Amino acid sequence: MTSGGIRRSFTAAAALALASFGSVALAAPGPWQLNMERGASTWSPVAYHLNNISLAVCTVIGVLVFGAMFVAMFRFRKSRGAVAEKWSHNTMVEVIWTTIPVLILITLAYLATGGLTSWADTTGSQMTVKVTGYQWKWRYDYVDYMGKSIDKVGFMSKLDTQSDQTRQLGSGMDPFAVKVGDESTYLLNVDKPLVVPVDTKIRFVITSGDVIHSWWVPATGWKIDAIPGIINAAWANFTTPGTYRGQCAELCGQDHGFMPIVVVVKSKADFAKWLAEQETQSTAPAATPQTAQVATPAGGKQG
Amino acid sequence: MSHAATHDHHDDHHGAPKNFFQRWVMSTNHKDIGTLYLIFALTMFFIGGSFAMGIRAELFKPGMQLMQPYFFNQLTTMHALVMIFGAIMPAFVGLGNWMIPLMVGAPDMALPRMNNLSFWILPFAFILMLSTLFMPGGGPAGGWTMYPPLALQSDSLAYVVFAVHLMGISSIMGAINIIATILNMRAPGMDLLKMPVFVWSWLITAFLLIAVMPVLAGAVTMLLTDKYFGTNFFNPGGGGDPVLYQHIFWFFGHPEVYIMILPAFGIISEVVPTFARKPIFGYKAMVFAIACIAFLSFIVWAHHMFAVGLPLGAEIFFMYATMLISVPTGVKVFNWVATMWGGSMTFETPMLFSLAFIILFTIGGFSGLMLALVPADFQYHDTYFVVAHFHYVLVTGALFAIISAAYYWMPKWTGNMYSEFWGKVHFWNSVIWVNVLFFPQHFLGLAGMPRRIPDYNVAFANFNMISSIGGFLFGATQLIFIGVLIHCAFFSKKKATDRVWEGAKGLEWTVPSPAPHHTFEVPPVINDDELAHGHVND
Amino acid sequence: MKQETTRSPVADGDDSRRRGVRRTVTVLVAIVAFFFLISFVQIVLMK
């Protein structure tokens, strides 16, 4: 099984490499992925670039400092006959190596402050979605779209059945077999995803019904905590249609690892069609399947 | 008249008590209590380590193989509590107990009976806390940070809160004792600015401890009354605020992080000059940097909370303050490198661990700087990137410094030399496997794996397997350390000299090896050339 | 080389030491109490 796993990973890695050269936005983590994804929203490159820049800065400083250290370790060895010098102070170099880091930090702080300010600006949104975390599922309520308020479009979103069966202790099922098409979706798929339109500034208002959760889709470039009694706001504007996967990022109890988030980004026309369907469905009297979904996960899993 | 002769004379009158119970349970001797602390810390290190092995075994491959998710959460919670409060902190207190009186020329700690009490509280606190694992409902599973409302769902909350109170009392008493010793018990002529950096680092750490442990006590007391006495401190239904807990907790939690690293800085500042045979570069700058870091540690707490939805102004303030810490920390690293430059270095085991500390702790510092940048932190927060970051600063940072200190002073404690060969075997295995263990976790976090999850998507399988293999081998390597310790204490034939290391300076090296039960009952005459930092104006 | 010791007993110094320790401990205990109480006061400040 393991060798199969390795073979599978290599094929997946090759596919991933191809995909990234083809400049298709990453929708889900890939095997051997080394760096943060660029994301698929207008803001997410901010986090990505800041990550790359700070990593580069740290690498350069690291090479210099560790380089000096290794030179010292080779040049000033007692076994090479080095005799210890007596000095223990040099004001000049001390001033230099205090000032240079300060300058680097000011640059980084400048970049980060700009990115942070644009993140915090949730004004001018064209759509509002309310996200509520529960142990251990998410609820999405559509509040308004293009200035029109939406009634009664809201649903629970929880781990898909295939992942849920596979993840049971001693299930004997292969996590590698959980797939949608070619994509491995083990623990990253839900029964009913959040559907949103592309090229629309979406305001998410996020809260919780019980303990603290955190709503995180890496493609948006951010995560924010869902806290009972507090409503947090954040925004995303997706640039590419696709399926984007994420997970709860704040420990919220035994099934914390099993409450994924899936966002399906559709073209505006497709989204309008989907929304109309949802609205007619919700006005129809018997919405039984949804209530059934809500009720099931609670039983028999209490730690 | 030599000092050795002085206390030989005293030893005849009152050496160590022969009775085992009297010697160890009723001890008021700083060396015996230091030994007890160190043995306790080592025991807890292996208990906490066994939890880590459980975690890494479950994460070895995707799918749940070994345990229920709830038990996994108990393991992560207990691993953190045991390692922080049981292993790292008591190890530093043990080193402080043993070495501070010897380094400042004091006969003992200022309050020897309180010293005994602050140690003997600890075993009971940990028995209480660990016993919850065997109770119906299990141990705490809401993370070591005990965030409400989740922590309030746990049945074992009252036990953990009581255990934390006990640990807090123990730490506070230990800190008071250390400050009282350093401020009042120094030998005449041991000015504050002639003290070893290790003593300085502990003085500052002790002030951090007495400032923040009471805050932790307050926070967990509020949890307790919320759960059992109907208060609503953190209950939004009653007008409380769950985020308030996080503010209070991290007001404790961030200085706590420095409590676990400042004494490590002190140790490295002792070891590096000894084996470079050159005085530490910029002694005053080193002391000042520690004080700066300690001060800044009080105004950065909310960088643990960038994702809770703080106001923009608060995020900017805490980001800047956090970034500022890298300046004094950078100064320390540069000064260590400058200490080596122009020295005459040898590479015994303590030096190897210290060199590994400098490099690997700096890597942890780099990821810390990246985490400070709020927009990037929105991605890093609560992922394996954070796990990798704090294990680099706590395992290859704090723990490596403790191991370095153990090898450095072991000959002074036992009177025997440890096996240099096995010490080096221990070092090379540790340094290789710890990187195999934690380096891939950076990649996992960047690729999007959250912390504290018992199972994961197959995309994370490769690096998790590598990390687990590194974890098992790093764990196994620490058994070599036990072997080296036992061999050194009981079987080693090679006697240690008083000075032990050629380049060693400071009062602790002027007493015989092993250090007699009582030292400096008559204060030593301070000879500035004998001190590592005797001439501060140089 | 061994450290030399002052052979004169430090009887006078011992008493001032004791007083110093007592003063230090009093101040430190006050700090502890202050920080414990302030953790509760934060609730008022935050509201």
Side-chain angles (χ1 to χ4, degrees), chain A residues 29 32 51 72 76 78 82 84-85 88 97 105 113 135 167 184 186 216 218 221 223 225 232 249-250 253-254 256, chain B residues 64 69 73 153 277 282 307-308 320 323 335 342-345 378-382 447 452 455 457-459 462 502:
Chain A
W32 302 110
N51 167 65
F76 305 108
K78 199 183 176 209
E85 291 166 33
S88 63
W97 69 41
L105 288 178
T113 310
Q135 283 175 316
R167 67 104 174 171
S184 281
Y186 178 57
W216 181 34
K223 64 174 70 65
D225 289 358
N232 278 326
E250 177 67 56
Q254 57 161 334
H256 161 57
Chain B
M64 300 298 292
N73 290 351
Q153 293 180 348
R277 291 167 182 74
V308 303
Y320 291 173
M323 293 171 80
N335 283 11
S344 168
M345 281 196 273
F378 286 145
Q379 288 279 34
Y380 305 139
H381 190 85
D382 266 325
R452 294 166 163 168
D455 199 3
N457 182 265
V458 295
N462 310 314
E502 188 191 20

Side-chain angles (χ1 to χ4, degrees), chain A residues 90-230:
Chain A
N90 187 330
T91 314
M92 192 58 173
V93 299
E94 288 182 274
V95 169
I96 290 171
W97 69 41
T98 313
T99 321
I100 292 179
V102 170
L103 296 178
I104 295 170
L105 288 178
I106 289 172
T107 318
L108 285 177
Y110 173 76
L111 294 173
T113 310
L116 185 59
T117 316
S118 62
W119 180 85
D121 179 20
T122 54
T123 56
S125 63
Q126 297 144 296
M127 180 181 178
T128 306
V129 178
K130 184 183 172 207
V131 180
T132 316
Y134 293 97
Q135 283 175 316
W136 293 275
K137 53 195 174 287
W138 295 95
R139 183 177 172 85
Y140 301 111
D141 290 288
Y142 289 72
V143 180
D144 62 50
Y145 177 54
M146 293 299 181
K148 275 187 301 190
S149 69
I150 304 168
D151 276 341
K152 292 175 192 157
V153 178
F155 49 86
M156 289 288 184
S157 176
K158 66 178 174 58
L159 186 66
D160 70 307
T161 322
Q162 204 191 353
S163 292
D164 195 42
Q165 285 169 352
T166 308
R167 67 104 174 171
Q168 299 302 326
L169 184 60
S171 69
M173 295 163 80
D174 181 9
F176 287 90
V178 182
K179 285 188 169 202
V180 173
D182 280 344
E183 198 185 3
S184 281
T185 56
Y186 178 57
L187 301 180
L188 288 179
N189 201 10
V190 293
D191 56 349
K192 195 160 187 216
L194 174 69
V195 180
V196 293
V198 74
D199 293 329
T200 308
K201 184 166 180 179
I202 308 159
R203 185 166 159 263
F204 292 93
V205 290
I206 298 171
T207 187
S208 165
D210 38 50
V211 302
I212 300 173
H213 305 268
S214 191
W215 197 80
W216 181 34
V217 177
T220 62
W222 49 262
K223 64 174 70 65
I224 195 157
D225 289 358
I227 303 168
I230 288 173

Side-chain angles (χ1 to χ4, degrees), chain B residues 48-91:
Chain B
S50 69
F51 297 152
M53 294 299 108
I55 293 167
R56 279 326 312 175
E58 179 53 63
L59 292 173
F60 187 70
K61 59 182 190 177
M64 300 298 292
Q65 286 88 27
L66 301 171
M67 58 189 80
Q68 292 293 353
Y70 192 74
F71 185 70
F72 181 89
N73 290 351
Q74 293 179 42
L75 285 188
T76 53
T77 305
M78 279 297 196
H79 167 71
L81 287 169
V82 167
M83 285 304 198
I84 293 168
F85 293 105
I88 301 291
M89 287 171 68

Side-chain angles (χ1 to χ4, degrees), chain B residues 276-298:
Chain B
R277 291 167 182 74
K278 185 164 160 282
I280 189 142
F281 184 88
Y283 169 80
K284 276 184 186 166
M286 290 304 248
V287 171
F288 185 68
I290 294 177
C292 263
I293 293 170
F295 169 74
L296 288 173
S297 76
F298 281 104

